[in-house]
Amino acid sequence: MAGRLLRGCGRAAGWVLVPRSLHAAPGPCLRGGCGEAAALRAMGFSEEQVRRLLGLQAPLGPQRREAAAAQLLLLGLSAEAALALLERSPALLRMPTERLQERAAELRRLGLDGGQLQRALGRCPQLFSAPRRRMAAAVRLLRERCLFTAEQLREVLGTCPAVLLEEPRRLHHHFQYAYFRMGVSQKEMVKARLFQMPFPELRNRHIFLERRGLYQTPYKGQTQTSNPKLKDILQLTEKDFLASLACATAEEYDVFKRLLAREEEEEEEDEEDRNARYAEGDEDVDSEGSDTA
């Protein structure tokens, strides 16, 4: 398998010649030509996988398609995982091989390596094209302001790689809500995979429990032992969450979410009105100052 992969990857890079017997092999060619199909089979792709790969339109020609597939295999992805990644993110076919290699090395430096890197890329292929500064800012925030340990950070990145795509201000707000409003420690956040649930849904579930008297706001940072575990709040399906934790119906939850959204809209409007009044007051002060002068 290793020999086949190296031969296939070498051809994609342009430094291994394909044997003459391969060119002379009889039989129909698969859409993109016998040479490319043979190279992909040499990498370990099955006939069906080769057909699917040849169906992907490579903007810069078949060599780019081979090179992208080869690079993903060298990162440790299986043939099926590499193919599925290219099908979900065909933009990877436009990326130079060097760029793919550099981004993989960068993700390793951020704490993703081995199986974690493979799983993270499978879940979140956008990591190949995300801005470098955005990812570095997210890691710095989690480490320096959220105070996750190095081991906890690796676990967060491995299970919730999309945090690297988040705008730091929103990511910090997500963390602060769980830490201060819910009284959850970093260790609990990592165990429950906090960042896998979108923040609006986390807030909806928490406030719903709180208003039903099933979740107590911590006093001076002390978590109430009677509160439901964060893992149960996050990982249960909505049906199970309502049945086992909230003891409510789907209709009650839907009504609550609509009312909460209306409350937030009214709060935003009130804040805008206050800001407008403050702005008018500043203008009046400036006008009086100019008249006095």
Side-chain angles (χ1 to χ4, degrees):
M1 173 64 189
R4 289 193 301 161
L5 176 56
L6 288 174
R7 289 196 298 273
C9 295
R11 185 191 182 286
W15 48 264
V16 174
L17 295 176
V18 178
R20 291 182 180 179
S21 59
L22 199 58
H23 290 293
C29 295
L30 290 174
R31 294 175 64 182
C34 290
E36 184 183 0
L40 293 172
R41 286 195 297 271
M43 294 181 200
F45 291 99
S46 67
E47 289 289 350
E48 176 60 27
Q49 290 169 336
V50 168
R51 290 191 182 91
R52 288 162 60 189
L53 271 170
L54 294 179
L56 299 175
Q57 297 302 315
L60 302 179
Q63 285 190 340
R64 178 59 57 81
R65 183 164 44 206
E66 293 176 44
Q71 185 57 42
L72 293 177
L73 293 177
L74 288 173
L75 288 176
L77 274 69
S78 66
E80 182 60 31
L83 173 57
L85 187 57
L86 290 173
E87 288 177 330
R88 290 200 307 273
S89 302
L92 295 179
L93 296 171
R94 293 191 289 271
M95 294 182 67
T97 304
E98 296 78 9
R99 175 77 180 279
L100 293 174
Q101 294 171 341
E102 291 173 1
R103 179 48 56 90
E106 191 168 345
L107 291 171
R108 290 190 184 98
R109 286 195 296 272
L110 293 177
L112 289 169
D113 53 15
Q116 281 189 327
L117 177 61
Q118 298 166 27
R119 290 190 295 271
L121 292 174
R123 293 192 187 104
C124 193
Q126 299 92 330
L127 293 177
F128 272 121
S129 55
R132 182 182 296 116
R133 290 184 178 179
R134 168 66 61 81
M135 295 197 302
V139 169
R140 189 164 55 250
L141 171 76
L142 293 169
R143 194 75 172 90
E144 299 176 4
R145 302 188 66 183
C146 301
L147 301 180
F148 286 103
T149 66
E151 182 60 32
Q152 288 171 341
L153 177 60
R154 281 193 292 271
E155 184 68 18
V156 169
L157 297 181
T159 57
C160 314
V163 297
L164 293 171
L165 309 177
E166 281 287 341
E167 198 275 323
R169 182 179 58 83
R170 293 183 180 179
L171 185 60
H172 195 211
H173 181 60
H174 198 153
F175 166 81
Q176 286 184 314
Y177 186 92
Y179 188 82
F180 292 108
R181 281 282 281 115
M182 300 180 70
V184 179
S185 68
Q186 287 91 337
K187 182 179 179 180
E188 291 177 273
M189 294 181 199
V190 174
K191 185 177 180 180
R193 301 182 179 182
L194 169 69
F195 299 107
Q196 282 189 351
M197 173 169 281
F199 174 71
E201 182 59 22
L202 167 69
R203 182 196 54 205
N204 285 343
R205 291 192 178 194
H206 167 244
I207 296 178
F208 190 58
L209 291 173
E210 194 175 50
R211 294 189 181 180
R212 293 179 68 83
L214 300 173
Y215 201 104
Q216 299 180 40
T217 302
Y219 176 69
K220 292 185 178 180
Q222 299 300 314
T223 303
Q224 301 293 326
T225 56
S226 60
N227 286 336
K229 293 182 179 180
L230 180 65
K231 185 176 181 180
D232 293 333
I233 296 175
L234 299 179
Q235 296 186 8
L236 289 175
T237 64
E238 182 174 299
K239 180 180 178 181
D240 291 337
F241 164 75
L242 293 173
S244 61
L245 288 185
C247 301
T249 65
E251 291 75 13
E252 289 174 320
Y253 191 45
D254 287 338
V255 170
F256 161 77
K257 287 188 288 187
R258 288 197 295 269
L259 292 175
L260 184 61
R262 186 181 304 170
E263 288 178 18
E264 292 174 347
E265 290 177 3
E266 292 174 353
E267 289 176 359
E268 291 176 0
E269 291 174 357
D270 291 341
E271 185 175 356
E272 291 175 359
D273 291 341
R274 285 194 298 272
N275 291 337
R277 287 197 295 271
Y278 290 145
E280 291 174 359
D282 291 341
E283 292 176 359
D284 292 340
V285 171
D286 292 341
S287 177
E288 291 175 2
S290 62
D291 291 342
T292 302

